């Protein structure tokens, strides 16, 4: 099933180019915290899955709604550094990680408030001369509370998958070298979507081709079989530190081919069986008080 969050955080099931509104299946109490609806749906999925699958009313063309992030309020956004061998070292002194892998480094955090959907834009700081990059990543959406889950059981806590861009401000090797969590947490730096595709539709997450292009020029083309730490081991590593919660995101690392984005660019990401989305790159309208 393909699930969408749209307009005022309404929940829909997507078939073809149509989204069927299923918000009425969720408790009215969520109307005061509509951005929590998807977390609630994921946590209560087994009670509602059949009704969601059968929904046929409330149809809107996808093109007529504003798609929000398909998991708009994750409690955590976990991301793997150095998870594709061909990416290790490709940007040289613009990264602090050197050639260390995710197996050694574990995970880093992106601020949940940096998450956006395809209806929004990646916003670069106004007037910046720094380099900002795209990173094409398969994202896992957690389906159940998960603490100390061994890799062999990790598939049981995966709800689904979506496309993610891990947008990044690179360090300036000769100047400022802000912390990674700050460089990756600007407003709009974690676009996900277009839909949440349930795990049963995707199957083995290590059998997917991925592509990312900027202005119709292909920058990244890869296969998820080349992850150094696979999805199951990633869940084992993260859940050995703290509990994952329904709706949490795990960005599984970028393959080679990362490159710069600038205001006015149009970025397209696609992952086999997961979907495709196009994103606008824009400049923030005002200078921030701390310029970059
Ligand atoms: Mn990344």
């Amino acid at each position: 099933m393909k699930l969408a969050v749209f307009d005022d955080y309404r929940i829909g099931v997507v078939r073809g180019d149509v989204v069927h509104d299923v918000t009425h299946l969720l408790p009215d109490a969520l109307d005061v915290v509509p951005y929590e609806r998807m977390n609630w749906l994921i946590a209560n999925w087994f009670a509602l899955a059949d009704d969601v699958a059968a929904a046929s009313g409330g149809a809107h063309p996808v093109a007529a709604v504003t798609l929000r992030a398909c998991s708009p309020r994750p409690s955590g956004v976990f991301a793997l550094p150095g998870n594709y061998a061909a990416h290790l070292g490709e940007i040289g002194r613009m990264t602090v990680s050197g050639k260390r892998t995710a197996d050694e480094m574990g995970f880093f955090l992106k601020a949940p408030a940096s998450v956006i959907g395809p209806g929004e834009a990646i916003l670069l700081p106004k007037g910046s001369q720094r380099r900002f990059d795209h990173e094409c990543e398969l994202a896992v959406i957690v389906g159940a509370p998960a603490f100390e889950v061994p890799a062999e059981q990790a598939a049981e806590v995966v709800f689904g998958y979506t496309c993610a861009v891990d947008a990044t401000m690179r360090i300036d090797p000769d100047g400022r070298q802000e912390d990674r969590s700050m460089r990756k947490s600007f407003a709009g730096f974690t676009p996900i979507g277009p839909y949440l595709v349930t795990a049963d539709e995707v199957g083995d997450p290590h059998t997917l081709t991925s592509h990312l292009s900027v202005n119709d020029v292909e920058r990244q083309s890869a296969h998820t079989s080349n992850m150094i730490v696979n999805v199951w081991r990633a869940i084992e590593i993260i859940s050995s530190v703290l509990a994952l919660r329904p709706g949490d995101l795990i960005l599984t690392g970028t393959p080679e081919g990362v490159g710069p984005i600038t205001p006015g660019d149009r970025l397209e990401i696609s992952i086999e069986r997961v979907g495709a989305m196009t994103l606008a790159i824009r400049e923030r309208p005002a200078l921030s008080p701390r310029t970059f």
Side-chain angles (χ1 to χ4, degrees), residues 13-109:
V13 58
V14 178
R15 299 191 199 99
D17 297 328
V18 172
V19 56
H20 295 272
D21 193 331
V22 297
T23 311
H24 63 280
L25 297 173
L26 281 67
D28 292 344
L30 291 166
D31 290 354
V32 295
V33 281
Y35 40 80
E36 292 286 350
R37 284 177 181 139
M38 182 56 86
N39 289 338
W40 191 92
L41 177 63
I42 293 171
N44 294 276
W45 182 242
F46 292 106
L48 279 94
D50 289 347
D51 288 340
V52 173
S56 58
H60 307 275
V62 168
V65 304
T66 299
L67 289 175
R68 304 280 177 198
C70 58
S71 183
R73 270 301 164 103
S75 72
V77 179
F78 305 89
L80 303 186
N83 205 27
Y84 285 78
H87 169 61
L88 298 179
E90 74 166 338
I91 54 172
R93 295 174 62 234
M94 284 187 292
T95 178
V96 291
S97 314
K99 292 195 173 185
R100 294 189 298 155
T101 70
D103 206 38
E104 182 185 354
M105 291 189 283
F107 64 84
F108 63 87
L109 297 173

Side-chain angles (χ1 to χ4, degrees), residues 79-82 87 108 110 134-137 165-168 170 180 184 251-255 258:
L80 303 186
H87 169 61
F108 63 87
K110 300 193 78 172
H134 56 76
E135 297 187 354
C136 171
E137 310 204 7
V165 179
D166 176 14
T168 303
R170 292 299 172 206
R180 172 161 46 196
K184 289 174 171 280
L251 275 55
T252 55
T254 186
V258 302

